[in-house]
Amino acid sequence: MAVNIRHWKGAWWVFINHQGTRKAKRVGVGESGKKAAKQAAQQIQARLVLGQTAVDSHKTGVTIEGYVETFLQRIEHTRKPSTYDGYKSILDREILPMLCRLDLEGVTREKVKALAMAGLEKGQSPKTVQNTIRCLSSLFSHAVEDGLLLVNPALKPVKF
């Protein structure tokens, strides 16, 4: 049983070798990618020690659309009303039309960048696009805390 991280082809990867099965997962680039890879490796190692699979199969299949309600309920009383309303609006107007049917695990860094580029192509200001990515990042951070994801693909919002 081994869980390692490596910098390979310009990105940080988590390599898992467990009971004859080998898997690799690209985590990110730069220092934030290294930090996320270390965190993911520790979580995977802990799951394997407890006899669980690297990613719990009963948690896969959760779509963004299905998780949004949980996310909104959690932030309703912990954020200012204006922030809550802004997040709800961003989710309804920008994120759900593009990503609603995808599994949480199906959203990659590239899809987050595509969402940002689509906003810019629609004529949105860079600040509006950053707010959209920050909302998505907050949603994914909650999913990571719930154990639905190993890493947040929108962790560092794209700078414009």
Side-chain angles (χ1 to χ4, degrees):
M1 166 175 57
V3 180
N4 300 310
I5 65 165
R6 285 191 210 135
H7 191 260
W8 184 58
K9 292 189 177 184
W12 287 96
W13 291 72
V14 176
F15 292 92
I16 306 161
N17 187 355
H18 181 66
Q19 296 178 343
T21 303
R22 294 171 44 180
K23 294 211 180 247
K25 176 101 172 136
R26 184 178 187 269
V27 179
V29 296
E31 281 303 309
S32 63
K34 183 177 182 179
K35 206 181 266 188
K38 283 182 179 180
Q39 181 183 10
Q42 288 173 345
Q43 290 175 351
I44 292 168
Q45 184 71 32
R47 286 182 177 164
L48 292 175
V49 166
L50 294 173
Q52 300 171 349
T53 58
V55 177
D56 292 340
S57 60
H58 71 279
K59 292 183 179 176
T60 58
V62 177
T63 63
I64 290 181
E65 186 176 39
Y67 191 71
V68 163
E69 191 62 36
T70 302
F71 170 68
L72 289 173
Q73 286 175 354
R74 289 222 179 107
I75 67 166
E76 186 172 13
H77 301 294
T78 60
R79 303 287 199 287
K80 292 190 304 187
S82 60
T83 302
Y84 173 82
D85 292 340
Y87 277 15
K88 186 164 179 19
S89 174
I90 288 169
L91 285 163
D92 291 339
R93 190 181 65 247
E94 303 297 330
I95 295 171
L96 287 177
M98 209 169 159
L99 303 175
C100 70
R101 300 274 184 242
L102 291 176
D103 281 356
L104 287 172
E105 293 177 335
V107 179
T108 62
R109 187 85 176 145
E110 289 74 27
K111 289 180 181 165
V112 172
K113 288 179 184 178
L115 177 69
M117 293 309 297
L120 290 173
E121 289 170 2
K122 288 194 297 188
Q124 293 177 344
S125 72
K127 179 68 175 167
T128 301
V129 173
Q130 277 186 332
N131 288 341
T132 300
I133 302 305
R134 284 187 179 119
C135 175
L136 188 61
S137 180
S138 182
L139 181 135
F140 284 132
S141 290
H142 280 267
V144 169
E145 289 173 13
D146 288 346
L148 298 172
L149 292 174
L150 295 176
V151 294
N152 179 345
L155 187 59
K156 289 284 184 176
V158 181
K159 301 274 186 206
F160 298 99

